[in-house]
Amino acid sequence: MPSIMKISPQGQIRIPKSVLESLKITEGDYLEVDVEGGQIVLKPRKLIDPLQGWFWTREWQTDEETADKDIQNKNLSPQFHNKKDGLEWLKK
C-alpha cells in the first residue's frame, strides 16, 4: 500500500518501517536515487564487493569478535612445526 511522506525543509524524507523491513534496508545502508519517467526511484545499494560479502555477514563478524577476544586473552593453540602435530592436536 502506498505511503505519503512529507519532504522536510532539508529535502529529507522518512521511509516507512514496513518498506525498510521488506527490502532489508537498515540504518547506514545506501540508496541510489534516480529519475525515471518523471518519477523518483530509490534503489538499495551495497558498497561491498560481492565477492567479499561473506566477510560482512553477521555470523562471520561474530566469529571475528570471538577470535579477537581469544587472541587478546591468549587463548591460542600451541605452535606446531609440522601439519601432522597440528592435526593431532585438533583431534584431541
Side-chain angles (χ1 to χ4, degrees):
M1 178 174 197
S3 299
I4 295 177
M5 298 169 284
K6 183 177 180 181
I7 299 174
S8 76
Q10 294 81 22
Q12 298 172 328
I13 61 169
R14 175 169 269 177
I15 299 172
K17 185 176 181 179
S18 61
V19 173
L20 296 174
E21 288 174 348
S22 70
L23 295 174
K24 296 184 171 104
I25 299 172
T26 60
E27 180 180 338
D29 284 352
Y30 290 87
L31 295 174
E32 177 183 315
V33 181
D34 203 358
V35 177
E36 294 178 7
Q39 296 185 354
I40 299 170
V41 178
L42 302 175
K43 298 177 185 175
R45 291 291 181 239
K46 302 291 182 191
L47 300 183
I48 298 171
D49 180 338
L51 296 176
Q52 299 296 316
W54 56 268
F55 182 80
W56 300 105
T57 62
R58 177 165 283 143
E59 180 183 16
W60 189 272
Q61 288 299 304
T62 299
D63 289 345
E64 285 286 330
E65 290 176 16
T66 301
D68 288 344
K69 288 177 186 174
D70 284 343
I71 292 168
Q72 184 178 10
N73 295 328
K74 301 196 185 308
N75 184 19
L76 307 170
S77 67
Q79 184 176 4
F80 303 106
H81 298 288
N82 59 60
K83 63 183 176 183
K84 180 183 173 193
D85 292 345
L87 289 171
E88 287 180 13
W89 182 82
L90 284 172
K91 290 177 184 177
K92 292 179 184 178

